[in-house]
Amino acid sequence: MANREALRDLQARLANRLQAAKSEALSVSSWLAVEAGATSYLLPLGHSGEIFPWGAVQPVPYTQKWFLGVANLRGGLSGVVDLAVLLGDSPVRTEQKLAEASLLALNTALEVNVALLVDRLAGLRGVDAFVSSEPPAPDAPSFFGSVYLDASGARWQELNLQLLAQHPTFLSISA
């Protein structure tokens, strides 16, 4: 009998919490904030996959300089792309910097077996973390979204990973 009462009590508390959550204006995180080279990026959570520490990447000859090679991530081979170099930056990375870097696998729904090298993970962000936004520059790549400015004046470039994964440049790794 006590178990039934405890179960009813639990269900009532859960129902109350759900109702309270619906009525409150909750902040929802939309992006994973990362830094690659000298630029800060916002990557959609729905397009992002698992995060791995920097590990052994086997180089692949005759590929673009931004294609670092392949890595074994959870038993599967994934191509590793240096996001900063792909987007035109030329960061200088020491062994210490690489040890602090991360590999961000793209969501399997995007149907590309790729992980992006990012220099720093900066947490989750929602629209409420920014004070203003600007549309992408007219000459920006198709996978660039809006630019968001936070309270400190830092600029965050939104990237659409689905469009990036379909972009001809991204798909053409041969040098």
Side-chain angles (χ1 to χ4, degrees), residues 21 23-31 45 124-130:
S23 63
E24 293 177 11
L26 295 177
S27 171
V28 177
S29 296
S30 310
W31 299 292
L45 282 177
L124 300 175
R125 300 286 193 283
V127 175
D128 61 334
F130 302 100

Side-chain angles (χ1 to χ4, degrees), residues 33-117:
V34 301
E35 293 175 6
T39 308
S40 301
Y41 295 101
L42 298 171
L43 310 177
L45 282 177
H47 298 165
S48 302
E50 194 170 353
I51 299 169
F52 299 91
W54 171 256
V57 174
Q58 298 301 311
V60 176
Y62 309 112
T63 58
Q64 297 287 339
K65 65 181 180 177
W66 48 262
F67 189 80
L68 299 177
V70 294
N72 181 350
L73 303 177
R74 290 217 188 271
L77 287 180
S78 292
V80 178
V81 171
D82 187 331
L83 183 62
V85 176
L86 174 69
L87 299 178
D89 198 353
S90 300
V92 176
R93 293 193 180 99
T94 62
E95 287 298 318
Q96 175 66 28
K97 291 269 189 194
L98 276 176
E100 297 169 359
S102 298
L103 296 176
L104 171 66
L106 298 187
N107 190 310
T108 56
L110 299 180
E111 298 180 345
V112 289
N113 225 14
V114 171
L116 302 174
L117 172 67

